[in-house]
Amino acid sequence: ITIHKVRSTLGIAIEGGFEDRIPLPRIVYMQPDGSAYISSGLRVGHVITSVNGRSMKGLAHRDAALVLAHAFKEKTSSQIELLVVQPIQ
């Protein structure tokens, strides 16, 4: 999924990390005015497996959140690439 940086915020909240019952970060909320909501097919419930090619496997929640934040703040690119999967029901 490609997120274009069209707003000042990414606008997502995640849960999970290697120390939690959910080993990869999962989207739990999306701001209606955030870049992720406006410019991508990202949805609540998607599990993020990589950000700009960097695996999210083995990252603590805080580290996963920092990877996402740094990717959004990076000025050399106007977009973020996420590899996501739907959670198993």
Side-chain angles (χ1 to χ4, degrees), residues 5 40 58 80:
K5 299 175 185 179
S40 75
I80 299 172

Side-chain angles (χ1 to χ4, degrees), residues 1-76:
I1 290 179
T2 301
I3 299 174
H4 298 278
K5 299 175 185 179
V6 295
R7 295 285 196 249
S8 61
T9 64
L10 179 56
I12 64 172
I14 61 169
E15 69 177 358
F18 86 90
E19 74 281 349
D20 293 327
R21 62 180 170 76
I22 302 166
L24 290 165
R26 180 176 61 165
I27 306 296
V28 293
Y29 176 76
M30 295 181 65
Q31 282 179 259
D33 61 343
S35 290
Y37 185 89
I38 292 169
S39 73
S40 75
L42 194 64
R43 299 288 178 258
V44 169
H46 277 156
V47 175
I48 303 170
T49 61
S50 73
V51 177
N52 290 339
R54 179 176 178 184
S55 175
M56 301 299 274
K57 185 177 180 181
L59 295 182
H61 174 83
R62 175 177 160 74
D63 295 331
L66 285 172
V67 167
L68 285 160
H70 288 302
F72 188 75
K73 294 190 184 304
E74 175 60 49
K75 300 297 183 194
T76 61

